[in-house]
Amino acid sequence: MGPAELVQAAAMARRFYLEGKSKIQIAEEFGVSRFKVARVLETALERDLVRIEIRVPAELDAERSDALRAHFGLRHAVVVESPAEAADESPDPENLGEVAADLLGELVNEGDVLGLAWGRSTIHMAAALDRLPPCTVVQLTGVYDAGTAERGSVEAVRRAAQVSGGDAHPIYAPMLLPDAATAAALRNQTGIARAFEYFDKVTVAAVSIGSWEPGISTVYDMLSDEERARYASFGVAAEMSAHLFDRDGRRVGRDLGERCITVEADRLRRIPEVVAIAGGQRKAEAIAAVLRSGLVTSLVTDTAAADHLLSVQAGPRPALERADPDD
């Protein structure tokens, strides 16, 4: 390009990219066709006269996020850079909770009902919340240990309600009970029954995912060795809100749910937006299994898990379809 062409290309590019003028407006100003303007703008990019830079916060990986969203048919996928100092086997870096808190601030609208399931990542998320529209907050599962309720999901529900200025409906009960009869009796208690009444009204839910191994799954840690072996024989690969899944996303060991204080899988499937928060290489297979279940619409994860997720098959039913693999 000669000097005149360079000057004209720079002027057209300035009008188009900085001033927001249309190609037709630019063509009228310079007395050329809009096709000529299009060619000049294209040449300006090819000759590096114009540079387009897409910038997102350094901790977010936009390319992996978009690829993961498309791969699993998710509504939203946000991939966070794994902390450099974190060991490869560490699950759920705490920065996932901070990003998930920002995502909830986008997804929750005034008048919504927000559901929070027990999990370390959801607790970190609640602690990081600094904005939420007025909404009702309900607990979707019992707690890992009733004695730690103040530091766990009950406190997470209270924190979210405090930020939003809405009502809180916590569940003061363990997640796992010794038998189905005890669990049924607790579900009928006034406070717990009131929380359960809100399950069908939940519009946005935040859940955690665990792989079937010690320290990574709350349910695994609460069971006896004999029970763990029994459920492992069913091919358990993942756990979410006390529901167990094999690697293909099919639910297994459904009798466990009868002993648990938790939102039913069918109710979870009807919630418009279910955001899972989970990361780390050790959880990658578990995350893939839960995504194949069709219960989750959005995911906040890290690069360590995302790289594995992008290398595996998503399955015949993307998560956005919310279809049940057992049907």
Side-chain angles (χ1 to χ4, degrees):
M1 299 175 74
E5 290 176 310
L6 284 170
V7 170
Q8 184 184 67
M12 288 183 176
R14 187 176 297 107
R15 304 289 194 281
F16 186 73
Y17 291 109
L18 299 182
E19 299 175 13
K21 291 187 176 181
S22 70
K23 292 174 184 176
I24 293 176
Q25 289 174 315
I26 297 170
E28 291 175 352
E29 179 182 347
F30 287 88
V32 297
S33 71
R34 61 187 177 89
F35 302 105
K36 167 73 171 177
V37 173
R39 286 196 298 272
V40 170
L41 292 174
E42 185 177 343
T43 302
L45 285 172
E46 292 173 351
R47 300 291 181 87
D48 209 25
L49 184 63
V50 172
R51 298 181 183 180
I52 298 176
E53 185 177 11
I54 300 172
R55 302 182 66 183
V56 295
E59 70 270 16
L60 300 182
D61 191 312
E63 187 174 347
R64 282 186 176 93
S65 297
D66 188 56
L68 191 58
R69 177 200 57 76
H71 189 59
F72 279 95
L74 296 165
R75 186 170 292 124
H76 303 284
V78 181
V79 177
V80 181
E81 289 287 347
S82 301
E85 69 276 8
D88 289 343
E89 66 272 12
S90 298
D92 296 345
E94 289 192 21
N95 60 342
L96 293 187
E98 297 170 4
V99 173
D102 288 339
L103 179 60
L104 277 194
E106 292 183 58
L107 299 180
V108 176
N109 296 307
E110 183 173 351
D112 276 349
V113 176
L114 171 63
L116 299 181
W118 194 95
R120 295 176 184 88
S121 55
T122 52
I123 291 170
H124 291 152
M125 178 205 68
L129 283 171
D130 59 11
R131 63 184 177 96
L132 271 181
C135 65
T136 299
V137 186
V138 61
Q139 194 169 322
L140 296 178
T141 63
V143 298
Y144 171 53
D145 180 352
T148 63
E150 290 300 320
R151 302 186 300 276
S153 46
V154 170
E155 180 56 32
V157 169
R158 287 175 175 165
R159 167 66 182 167
Q162 180 185 32
V163 172
S164 73
D167 294 333
H169 295 276
I171 293 178
Y172 295 96
M175 181 189 295
L176 180 65
L177 282 303
D179 52 64
T182 304
L186 275 178
R187 290 189 202 103
N188 289 326
Q189 288 188 359
T190 303
I192 297 174
R194 187 178 299 117
F196 268 64
E197 289 173 359
Y198 276 90
F199 286 1
D200 287 329
K201 303 174 185 177
V202 173
T203 50
V204 180
V207 300
S208 296
I209 295 173
S211 52
W212 197 244
E213 55 181 310
I216 312 296
S217 165
T218 299
V219 172
Y220 183 99
D221 291 341
M222 289 191 289
L223 294 173
S224 66
D225 289 341
E226 183 179 352
E227 290 171 325
R228 292 168 187 160
R230 175 173 173 267
Y231 289 120
S233 71
F234 299 153
V236 175
E239 173 260 317
M240 180 180 73
S241 301
H243 300 295
L244 309 181
F245 305 88
D246 67 13
R247 67 181 310 276
D248 294 320
R250 293 186 293 262
R251 289 180 58 216
V252 296
R254 298 191 182 206
D255 61 305
L256 181 66
E258 298 174 6
R259 296 169 50 194
C260 292
I261 304 297
T262 186
V263 60
E264 298 93 328
D266 290 342
R267 278 175 156 171
L268 263 179
R269 201 179 300 278
R270 294 195 295 269
I271 296 174
E273 185 75 78
V274 178
V275 181
I277 311 160
Q281 288 185 357
R282 288 179 66 182
K283 280 194 177 183
E285 284 287 353
I287 296 168
V290 172
L291 292 181
R292 295 185 187 111
S293 76
L295 289 172
V296 168
T297 61
S298 297
L299 175 69
V300 177
T301 190
D302 66 347
T303 51
D307 285 341
H308 176 82
L309 292 169
L310 289 169
S311 72
V312 302
Q313 285 190 337
R317 296 183 176 97
L320 193 58
E321 295 180 7
R322 314 299 296 282
D324 189 340
D326 290 333
D327 290 345

